[in-house]
Amino acid sequence: MKNYKMIIQYEGGRYNGWQRQGNTPNTIQEKFENVLFRMTGQKTEIFASGRTDAGVHALAQTANFKCNTDMSCDEIMSYINRYLPEDIAVLSIEEVNERFHSRLNAKSKTYEYSICAVKKPDVFTRRTVYYIDKYPDIDKMRKASQKLLGTHDFKGFSSVGKTKKSTVRTINSIEITENGSYINIRINGNGFLYNMIRIISGTILEIGLGKAEDNCIDFIFKTNKREYAGTTLPPKGLKLAEVLY
Amino acid sequence: MKNYKMIIQYEGGRYNGWQRQGNTPNTIQEKFENVLFRMTGQKTEIFASGRTDAGVHALAQTANFKCNTDMSCDEIMSYINRYLPEDIAVLSIEEVNERFHSRLNAKSKTYEYSICAVKKPDVFTRRTVYYIDKYPDIDKMRKASQKLLGTHDFKGFSSVGKTKKSTVRTINSIEITENGSYINIRINGNGFLYNMIRIISGTILEIGLGKAEDNCIDFIFKTNKREYAGTTLPPKGLKLAEVLY
């Protein structure tokens, strides 16, 4: 069996997230597997670097699948793109070692959360940006974000319930950039808990807006309690930007 | 009666153009007039700088309407934005002299046509960009575009049928810029004939792709025949960018 690694892109607004699950219709995984079944005539599973939640986008998700085919990579890419819906696309494809696995081999992932502070959402970016009506203090946000760097128990910054699994993760970098009325929070880490980026972004934003104390992050780490962290920002502002191997 | 001038924005993909016309449903003018009727209790006509065709977008269209109200401009803007669909927005509003008319007083307009040359349309810009699969020669396009500057009879670059009205227009500037795989054609002129920007963009693009002769523009001016000009590019790449008074 050949193993193919793809970089893929999707606008997640219409979908129930990446992962195929029971009877939930309209997942991105299902859209791919339907096309792969059509192409190969066989049930073919596709593995992404991680599931993205309902409504979350991907600028560059990585996924792999195995199949036997005589088609070239270009031919496979053309075939898949022809049958995918127009809000999902394969950007590139290559044959890789049969042991490569998109999720298990991922070293780190980068997510972006996009916010815009204007009176009225821009009609052209409304599907992929979270709009607020007051401009936050970016310096405060940057300063607060530095407290999140490194290895911590991020349970308080997640929607994970009781679990025996580790909730310790490492954040390598957080960059907050501005472009006009747009604010972009870019976070790289070795892995993320359920809703972790959206809660971290919500917490940093509330600090920037003066709705939360600058030192609340210390307190959340100390208590590990979700209720002390900020709101879970909506999925539409979140994009999986890059997966590193 | 007070006269209000607005800068408005819309993603035109879902609409049958700006202008309300007979029984054609779903025009942008109709969406505004419905909200104005709700706000004022009276039939209120709205005047735009010009109609945009079905599927064409506006980054900054100008429109005005007259009404009697005690509401402030901010209140009017909030009201209208609350009831407009999410792909139409008012960006700003101000009270102006009662003799101001968005169409009659417009001095010039700027349109942009956006093209992208990649294998597969970017899922995030697919609604507002025309995708092609081969990168054109930009220098050729720039050189050809200079021949369009000034005052000419643009009948050959339009879908205007037989008409007694003048088809003479003046183009003040054409700028062609590149950004990654994106190409933007920005045209300012005193007025444009039916489909004129889309046909001009199609003609320049075909010259850039080597599908049309460099000197075809001279020939179109000489003959005034539509059939010698390039294809009418699709509406989704076209945006009304600015109206000057």
Side-chain angles (χ1 to χ4, degrees):
Chain A
M1 296 276 262
K2 293 175 184 170
N3 189 10
Y4 293 96
K5 176 187 175 187
M6 300 189 292
I7 310 293
I8 65 184
Q9 193 184 56
Y10 43 86
E11 194 181 78
R14 291 202 303 150
Y15 298 99
N16 285 312
W18 169 267
Q19 195 176 37
R20 178 170 42 78
Q21 38 189 338
N23 291 323
T24 305
N26 214 28
T27 64
I28 296 153
Q29 183 179 8
E30 172 203 324
K31 297 292 171 194
F32 271 100
E33 291 180 353
N34 288 347
V35 178
L36 291 175
F37 181 77
R38 184 185 186 117
M39 188 177 91
T40 62
Q42 304 205 311
K43 252 188 136 173
T44 304
E45 193 168 354
I46 181 168
F47 304 93
S49 72
R51 44 194 160 179
T52 50
D53 290 332
V56 173
H57 317 289
L59 301 175
Q61 164 78 286
T62 300
N64 73 294
F65 65 93
K66 293 182 178 180
C67 78
N68 286 319
T69 177
D70 294 330
M71 293 165 79
S72 70
C73 285
D74 268 0
E75 285 166 346
I76 296 174
M77 178 164 150
S78 295
Y79 186 98
I80 297 177
N81 278 333
R82 185 156 65 244
Y83 291 106
L84 280 175
E86 60 172 8
D87 44 11
I88 308 178
V90 180
L91 301 182
S92 68
I93 184 166
E94 58 175 323
E95 200 184 332
V96 290
N97 187 292
E98 62 171 336
R99 295 174 62 180
F100 173 81
H101 188 290
S102 299
R103 182 169 55 82
L104 301 176
N105 296 144
K107 287 258 188 306
S108 77
K109 282 185 232 175
T110 304
Y111 278 90
E112 290 181 11
Y113 199 93
S114 305
I115 298 168
C116 185
V118 283
K119 270 196 187 169
K120 168 77 190 171
D122 183 297
V123 302
F124 297 100
T125 57
R126 68 184 193 283
R127 295 178 187 86
T128 53
V129 173
Y130 172 55
Y131 282 86
I132 55 176
D133 53 12
K134 197 187 146 200
Y135 204 87
D137 182 329
I138 302 291
D139 283 338
K140 267 193 178 179
M141 289 172 67
R142 286 198 180 117
K143 212 171 157 188
S145 71
Q146 297 310 301
K147 294 189 175 176
L148 296 159
L149 298 182
T151 304
H152 303 274
D153 186 342
F154 282 96
K155 191 168 189 306
F157 292 95
S158 81
S159 302
V160 174
K162 278 192 181 165
T163 177
K164 288 183 183 166
K165 288 187 187 168
S166 169
T167 47
V168 172
R169 296 288 185 278
T170 301
I171 291 185
N172 302 313
S173 65
I174 304 185
E175 289 164 53
I176 302 175
T177 52
E178 298 171 88
N179 182 8
S181 314
Y182 290 87
I183 300 153
N184 200 50
I185 303 172
R186 191 176 164 95
I187 305 182
N188 175 273
N190 71 343
F192 298 97
L193 303 170
Y194 186 44
N195 282 344
M196 180 168 151
I197 308 271
R198 289 159 59 188
I199 294 171
I200 283 178
S201 298
T203 306
I204 295 175
L205 179 61
E206 286 178 14
I207 291 170
L209 291 169
K211 290 184 187 170
E213 299 290 331
D214 296 19
N215 62 1
C216 74
I217 288 175
D218 302 318
F219 194 69
I220 301 159
F221 278 141
K222 207 168 140 186
T223 59
N224 276 337
K225 296 258 195 238
R226 168 70 187 91
E227 57 261 43
Y228 298 125
T231 188
T232 307
L233 296 188
K236 70 171 188 167
L238 184 60
K239 290 154 209 133
L240 173 55
E242 198 181 14
V243 186
L244 296 172
Y245 290 92
Chain B
M1 295 278 260
K2 294 175 184 168
N3 190 9
Y4 293 96
K5 176 187 175 186
M6 301 189 292
I7 309 294
I8 65 183
Q9 193 184 56
Y10 43 86
E11 194 181 80
R14 289 202 304 150
Y15 298 100
N16 284 312
W18 169 266
Q19 194 175 37
R20 177 170 43 76
Q21 38 190 338
N23 291 322
T24 304
N26 213 27
T27 65
I28 296 153
Q29 183 178 9
E30 172 203 325
K31 296 294 171 194
F32 270 101
E33 292 181 350
N34 288 347
V35 177
L36 292 174
F37 180 77
R38 184 184 186 119
M39 188 177 92
T40 63
Q42 304 205 310
K43 251 190 136 169
T44 304
E45 193 168 354
I46 182 166
F47 304 93
S49 71
R51 44 193 159 178
T52 49
D53 290 332
V56 173
H57 318 288
L59 301 174
Q61 163 77 286
T62 300
N64 73 293
F65 65 93
K66 293 181 177 182
C67 77
N68 286 318
T69 178
D70 294 331
M71 293 165 80
S72 70
C73 283
D74 268 1
E75 285 167 345
I76 296 173
M77 179 164 149
S78 294
Y79 187 97
I80 297 177
N81 277 334
R82 185 156 64 244
Y83 291 106
L84 280 175
E86 61 171 9
D87 44 12
I88 307 178
V90 180
L91 300 182
S92 69
I93 182 167
E94 59 175 322
E95 200 184 330
V96 290
N97 187 291
E98 61 171 336
R99 295 173 62 182
F100 173 82
H101 188 291
S102 298
R103 182 169 54 83
L104 301 176
N105 297 145
K107 287 258 191 308
S108 78
K109 282 185 232 174
T110 304
Y111 279 90
E112 289 180 9
Y113 200 93
S114 306
I115 299 167
C116 186
V118 283
K119 267 196 190 168
K120 168 78 191 172
D122 182 297
V123 302
F124 296 100
T125 58
R126 70 185 191 280
R127 294 178 187 87
T128 53
V129 173
Y130 173 54
Y131 282 85
I132 54 176
D133 54 11
K134 196 186 146 199
Y135 204 87
D137 182 328
I138 302 292
D139 283 339
K140 269 194 178 179
M141 290 172 66
R142 286 197 180 119
K143 212 170 157 189
S145 71
Q146 297 309 301
K147 296 189 175 176
L148 296 159
L149 297 182
T151 303
H152 304 274
D153 185 341
F154 282 96
K155 190 170 189 306
F157 292 95
S158 81
S159 302
V160 174
K162 278 191 181 165
T163 178
K164 288 181 182 165
K165 289 187 188 167
S166 169
T167 46
V168 173
R169 296 289 186 277
T170 301
I171 291 185
N172 302 312
S173 65
I174 303 184
E175 288 163 54
I176 301 174
T177 51
E178 298 171 87
N179 182 5
S181 313
Y182 291 87
I183 300 153
N184 200 49
I185 304 173
R186 191 177 165 94
I187 305 182
N188 175 272
N190 70 343
F192 298 96
L193 304 169
Y194 185 44
N195 283 344
M196 180 169 149
I197 308 272
R198 289 158 58 189
I199 295 171
I200 283 178
S201 299
T203 306
I204 295 174
L205 179 61
E206 287 178 14
I207 292 171
L209 290 169
K211 291 184 188 171
E213 298 291 328
D214 295 21
N215 62 1
C216 74
I217 288 176
D218 303 317
F219 194 70
I220 301 159
F221 278 141
K222 207 168 142 187
T223 59
N224 276 336
K225 297 259 196 237
R226 167 69 186 93
E227 57 261 42
Y228 298 126
T231 188
T232 306
L233 296 188
K236 71 170 189 168
L238 184 60
K239 290 154 208 137
L240 173 54
E242 197 180 17
V243 187
L244 296 171
Y245 291 93

